[in-house]
Amino acid sequence: ALARYLEALPARPEPGYSLWRDARGQVQGRFHHCSLTSAFAPLIALADRRVIGHEGTIRTYAGEQPGLAAWKLFALAADDASLVALDRLSRLLHAINYVAAGGTGRLVLNVHNRLLAAVADDHGAAFRRAVQALDLPQSQLVIQVPASANDNLPLLLQVVGNYRRNGFAVSLQASDPAEAGVLIAQARPDWLKLDMGRLWTDRQLAGLRASAFEAGVTLIGRRLDSAETALRLQAAGIELGQGAHAGATLGPGEL
């Protein structure tokens, strides 16, 4: 199904098509006169720096020049319907580009914080239908809920439950030990990313690793910027990392 879909895509933006395929075979989209495609930040196993997956991010441009930052692009979506459409378009774009480029690891797909309130219920249902229609490997996809959702635990639990019922693994993010502990105990995500730009003691990291192991939660150190921090995570039993220390962000043709 994916191969047929890719073959049918136009070679340039056309009315009636939200996506097109450029001369390099990479799928692109358009929003508010800004073209967008995918970039992929690696997630690595800290012990041997083996790449185990990627996180999809938006790369935009206008003509031959760099385009808007992703947050500015989303700011152009003034109403809920436009925001939901852009958010789903971005995730689908990343999933198609990743699979078409032969990406074999897990792919983390971000959800914009405004989407959580804009979609009243059954988060993930529309995206699941799109993924299944294109026969994309849903088991590779991990939905990452924005950290802002942590401020409303009932909503967060509802969102996590909805994505899981629609067949997606879920990643959450924590900025301090107390928040991480609550998320492990209450939400039990598949992945929990710890913001290593914040201060964590070795004891806190080890304690969270023990709690996460018991709950079946995989911990990942994000914003990982040094070998020293990677070694601290490994000493605490945390095996995965993401950030500057993990390697450069790649385009679809570089995977």
Side-chain angles (χ1 to χ4, degrees):
L2 178 60
R4 292 194 300 272
Y5 178 78
L6 291 173
E7 290 173 3
L9 286 178
R12 60 185 60 84
E14 291 186 7
Y17 287 85
S18 57
L19 300 173
W20 76 95
R21 200 177 186 197
D22 67 17
R24 297 169 296 176
Q26 296 170 19
V27 179
Q28 303 185 32
R30 173 66 64 87
F31 188 79
H32 276 272
H33 308 294
C34 191
S35 298
L36 54 144
T37 190
S38 306
F40 299 102
L43 286 76
I44 65 168
L46 298 175
D48 56 9
R49 299 186 62 82
R50 175 175 47 89
V51 175
I52 58 93
H54 291 82
E55 180 173 326
T57 61
I58 293 176
R59 180 175 289 170
T60 72
Y61 60 94
E64 299 299 321
Q65 301 300 317
L68 298 173
W71 70 268
K72 289 185 177 180
L73 182 68
F74 274 95
L76 293 175
D79 58 86
D80 286 350
S82 297
L83 183 282
V84 170
L86 175 58
D87 187 84
R88 290 173 179 163
L89 172 68
S90 301
R91 279 182 278 136
L92 187 62
L93 180 71
H94 300 331
I96 291 173
N97 273 325
Y98 194 68
V99 174
T104 57
R106 305 297 290 275
L107 175 63
V108 179
L109 299 168
N110 285 279
V111 174
H112 195 274
N113 63 315
R114 282 172 54 198
L115 179 128
L116 303 184
V119 176
D121 197 10
D122 209 11
H123 301 84
F127 188 57
R128 171 182 53 80
R129 289 191 291 269
V131 165
Q132 292 177 345
L134 293 176
D135 200 25
L136 295 170
Q138 189 172 351
S139 61
Q140 278 186 249
L141 307 180
V142 181
I143 299 294
Q144 184 158 281
V145 179
S148 59
N150 298 348
D151 296 334
N152 187 339
L153 186 59
L155 175 61
L156 175 68
L157 296 179
Q158 175 192 344
V159 169
V160 170
N162 285 339
Y163 279 116
R164 281 196 167 136
R165 280 191 292 274
N166 280 294
F168 294 103
V170 177
S171 172
L172 300 181
Q173 304 170 82
S175 59
D176 61 62
E179 186 174 60
V182 170
L183 295 177
I184 290 171
Q186 298 292 324
R188 297 199 172 201
D190 299 275
W191 287 359
L192 178 61
K193 293 185 178 181
L194 308 180
D195 185 353
M196 299 310 295
R198 305 293 186 93
L199 179 63
W200 305 77
T201 68
D202 293 342
R203 182 176 180 180
Q204 288 167 342
L205 291 172
L208 287 172
R209 169 63 176 84
S211 299
F213 181 80
E214 185 176 343
V217 176
T218 297
L219 296 181
I220 300 173
R222 65 179 289 262
R223 294 177 65 190
L224 184 61
D225 62 3
S226 69
E228 179 184 1
T229 305
L231 289 173
R232 288 186 59 221
L233 288 170
Q234 287 180 264
I238 298 172
E239 301 174 349
L240 304 179
Q242 176 186 16
H245 181 70
T249 297
L250 305 174
E254 302 170 297
L255 284 174

